[in-house]
Amino acid sequence: MSPDLSRRKLVGAAAAVAGTAAAAPLLSACGGGGAQSTGANTKSGLKAALPSYVPSNPVTPDIASVSGSDGAATDPAFLRYPSERAATVKGAPGKGGGYTAVTPLWGTVPSPGNSFYQAMDKALGVKLTMKPADGNNYAAIVPTMTAAKRLPDWISLPAWWNSNFNMGQLVGRQLADLTPYLSGDKIRKYPNLAALPTGAWQAGAWRDKLYGIPCASSRFVVAGTTFYRRDILDAKGITGDQVKSAADLMSLGKELTDAKRGVWAFDDVWTYLFPFWDVPTGWRIEDGKLVNAFETPQFLEALDWHYKLAKSGYMHPDALAGDSGGPTRFYSGKVVIMGGGTGAWSLSDFESGRAADENYRRGAFDIFAADGKSAPRTFMGASTSMFSYLNAKLKPAQIEELLEVANYLAAPYGSREYTLANFGVEGVHHTMKDGVPTATDAGKKTTQVPTYSFLASPSSVISNMGADMVTKDYAAWQATNVTRLYKPVFWNMNIAMPQTMSTAAAAQSVSDAVKDCYFGKKKVRDVQQAIDAWKSSSGDRLRRWMTENVLEKYGTGQ
């Protein structure tokens, strides 16, 4: 078993439910008209609320982080699990308090009071009753709790469900304000929390106050990318960096497709490829005014290319039909190129690929400009889409105790605290096999599905023990592309909006037309008509609302 419990694995655990959660806008719908607070932060208020960033490196990675543009940086990478187990917390952080915690869980619920939970309670110095809830129904379970005002002491609320949770109404009412405990240098009391990226704290701030404790944070977050079978291209003497434009990619598609042999170049690529036309996520500013992504010429250019792809014969028929079996087609070599989240670059993917083809190797095209001339760039996603929150009913001493616990859980990868929280007690829940924490039968029942890491966790790392090639490939891809990332408008900004505006932002009619177009069922002009209809019915009102309630009052979040 790999000790890869990084941000990619946590988000990957929820991918079937959340989709591209890492890049999703942090929106929350609320009832009524537009008079209520948007939940956005002022520039000065946010600056005062944010914790100081105090980096800490008690564990040395094999591949160091590389800084890029606009505050981006690559995730550090580990080729082996650290052997020294550096300690970052002295003694048990708690003082004997008793608390309940609810997190989403995709898998078998561990038995209450099991040996792993007991070991964690002893190490944490608190009685933390873990109550994992079905992740597939989590978006419906939590609103039942909030409606009855019966939240647990500590709860995980992933940001991609902000609208379901009605976060704009929960913060400051049912969720505790952490600003008095963490703003500025106050966070130095909790050094592992202080080492989390500033952007992750920003993404958990509402109305100039801190509420969310970041989990699975990173300074390199993109919605995903366009992958290819590197082993297949290598055999043909083709390297991914030879593709420098959309025209190059289409030409490669022609070269790779051999329908008579049951091989097509492409699976579905739209979701992760369209940003290469410099299409924004949601909005961009032009001449001081908000312009929606749907209104940009780049969006229609991207769509036109994908429509032509759908009609080219280079895309697998099952993909065109909307069949979700892309990974299976990718492993078998029936398709050579497909889009996906970066969490796919993992040990489990490597093992699945090698089971189908012993030569399997995943690669990804570098971020390129579709026209082959402009500077390549793509927008960053939120620094994290996973947060936990404390109950507003807790007393100050209880909040401080749980923040000490959170500091323990946020200990860096490979530390003594991280090892216990993710793998349990050595000799009981795991053994070290070739230097890798490997679950015992007891561990498989208690530690294999993330629970504590949904409450607090360190910044992401790249780690795929037993598959160094995967770690090196992904780290190299990040290092090449970290200078091509930029912060989009309203980056890491929480915005609570009326339900009517939330519905307008979803633009379901346009999204449906877009999907039909990139599958070749509708033409670009049909999408343009859908956009025009959306603008006249709700899109223009959405722009006015965003301009008057967010842009003019709070700016772009930069």
Side-chain angles (χ1 to χ4, degrees):
M1 184 207 74
S2 166
D4 179 13
L5 288 175
S6 64
R7 178 182 188 283
R8 292 183 296 130
K9 185 168 183 178
L10 281 180
V11 175
V17 178
T20 56
L26 304 182
L27 302 179
S28 176
C30 49
Q36 67 278 353
S37 169
T38 65
N41 303 295
T42 64
K43 188 173 182 178
S44 59
L46 180 64
K47 183 178 180 180
L50 286 175
S52 300
Y53 173 58
V54 187
S56 175
N57 300 293
V59 182
T60 304
D62 297 297
I63 303 174
S65 177
V66 177
S67 297
S69 57
D70 225 357
T74 65
D75 296 324
F78 290 82
L79 300 176
R80 61 194 61 81
Y81 197 73
S83 58
E84 294 185 2
R85 310 287 193 282
T88 66
V89 176
K90 293 182 179 180
K95 298 180 180 179
Y99 305 95
T100 58
V102 172
T103 64
L105 183 143
W106 289 267
T108 303
V109 178
S111 59
N114 63 67
S115 59
F116 174 51
Y117 287 170
Q118 291 177 28
M120 286 298 296
D121 282 350
K122 181 179 180 180
L124 296 173
V126 297
K127 175 60 177 178
L128 188 59
T129 302
M130 301 295 293
K131 295 184 176 181
D134 178 16
N136 294 321
N137 296 308
Y138 204 69
I141 293 171
V142 172
T144 301
M145 297 180 186
T146 58
K149 296 184 179 180
R150 298 185 64 179
L151 284 175
D153 300 308
W154 201 351
I155 188 167
S156 171
L157 299 177
W160 58 82
W161 283 322
N162 274 357
S163 182
N164 299 75
F165 300 151
N166 202 358
M167 289 296 297
Q169 297 299 306
L170 291 182
V171 291
R173 292 177 173 85
Q174 296 190 48
L175 304 178
D177 175 11
L178 303 181
T179 317
Y181 309 92
L182 300 176
S183 63
D185 286 343
K186 294 175 185 176
I187 201 170
R188 290 179 179 272
K189 182 179 179 181
Y190 313 102
N192 290 327
L193 294 179
L196 300 180
T198 300
W201 292 105
Q202 179 179 341
W206 298 75
R207 305 185 188 99
D208 296 338
K209 294 181 180 180
L210 294 178
Y211 291 96
I213 299 171
C215 305
S217 53
S218 174
R219 294 169 64 193
F220 190 109
V221 182
V222 293
T225 191
T226 305
F227 292 106
Y228 61 86
R229 282 286 300 270
R230 181 167 174 174
D231 55 305
I232 293 176
L233 264 62
D234 284 349
K236 295 177 177 293
I238 303 169
T239 59
D241 59 6
Q242 291 175 293
V243 176
K244 300 182 183 299
S245 69
D248 290 344
L249 190 58
M250 188 70 80
S251 296
L252 179 60
K254 180 179 181 180
E255 182 175 351
L256 295 175
T257 299
D258 188 344
K260 292 181 179 180
R261 291 197 306 111
V263 175
W264 285 264
F266 294 94
D267 210 274
D268 186 0
V269 291
W270 163 263
T271 302
Y272 305 103
L273 185 59
F274 80 81
F276 288 24
W277 275 259
D278 197 22
V279 178
T281 172
W283 304 93
R284 74 169 23 143
I285 301 292
E286 293 181 4
D287 298 325
K289 298 180 180 180
L290 283 177
V291 176
N292 191 275
F294 294 146
E295 301 173 287
T296 62
Q298 294 93 331
F299 180 81
L300 296 179
E301 290 167 5
L303 200 53
D304 181 62
W305 186 92
H306 282 80
Y307 175 81
K308 291 176 179 176
L309 172 63
K311 294 297 185 180
S312 67
Y314 309 151
M315 194 169 176
H316 196 287
D318 290 346
L320 285 172
D323 186 300
S324 61
T328 300
R329 295 188 286 270
F330 191 67
Y331 294 144
S332 66
K334 292 181 179 179
V335 297
V336 186
I337 301 168
M338 70 174 296
T342 55
W345 227 329
S346 65
L347 175 62
S348 60
D349 170 80
F350 177 78
E351 292 173 338
S352 296
R354 285 293 168 102
D357 187 335
E358 62 181 9
N359 297 311
Y360 176 84
R361 186 176 184 182
R362 181 181 290 266
F365 297 108
D366 291 334
I367 298 166
F368 59 77
D371 62 9
K373 301 175 183 178
S374 305
R377 69 175 200 153
T378 193
F379 50 81
M380 286 190 280
S383 298
T384 183
S385 57
M386 314 216 24
F387 296 94
S388 68
Y389 297 83
L390 302 183
N391 196 311
K393 295 180 181 179
L394 293 172
K395 298 177 181 179
Q398 293 176 308
I399 292 176
E400 290 176 340
E401 185 174 30
L402 287 180
L403 288 176
E404 292 283 8
V405 172
N407 181 67
Y408 184 106
L409 298 177
Y413 177 88
S415 64
R416 180 192 65 184
E417 298 84 9
Y418 179 95
T419 303
L420 177 63
N422 289 279
F423 305 110
V425 177
E426 185 172 359
V428 178
H429 305 107
H430 77 273
T431 58
M432 296 304 295
K433 184 177 181 180
D434 298 326
V436 178
T438 304
T440 63
D441 288 341
K444 291 176 182 178
K445 296 177 181 179
T446 57
T447 68
Q448 289 293 280
V449 182
T451 49
Y452 291 96
S453 48
F454 277 95
L455 298 176
S457 58
S459 295
S460 177
V461 302
I462 303 172
S463 170
N464 302 282
M465 301 299 159
D468 287 358
M469 180 178 68
V470 178
T471 296
K472 291 177 180 179
D473 285 349
Y474 184 37
W477 183 84
Q478 281 199 3
T480 297
N481 291 282
V482 69
T483 59
R484 303 175 185 184
L485 307 186
Y486 73 92
K487 294 177 182 176
V489 173
F490 306 134
W491 178 75
N492 276 344
M493 196 171 186
N494 288 309
I495 302 170
M497 55 175 56
Q499 185 62 55
T500 54
M501 293 297 99
S502 182
T503 300
Q508 191 61 53
S509 60
V510 177
S511 297
D512 291 343
V514 166
K515 187 174 183 179
D516 285 342
C517 185
Y518 67 70
F519 282 152
K521 298 175 183 178
K522 287 187 177 181
K523 296 183 178 180
V524 174
R525 65 170 175 266
D526 297 319
V527 178
Q528 181 63 73
Q529 291 174 357
I531 293 172
D532 291 342
W534 168 77
K535 286 177 60 180
S536 61
S537 64
S538 61
D540 287 339
R541 285 191 291 114
L542 173 65
R543 184 203 330 279
R544 286 195 299 272
W545 190 92
M546 291 292 295
T547 299
E548 295 171 0
N549 293 279
V550 183
L551 182 64
E552 292 179 351
K553 293 181 179 179
Y554 305 105
T556 63
Q558 305 306 312

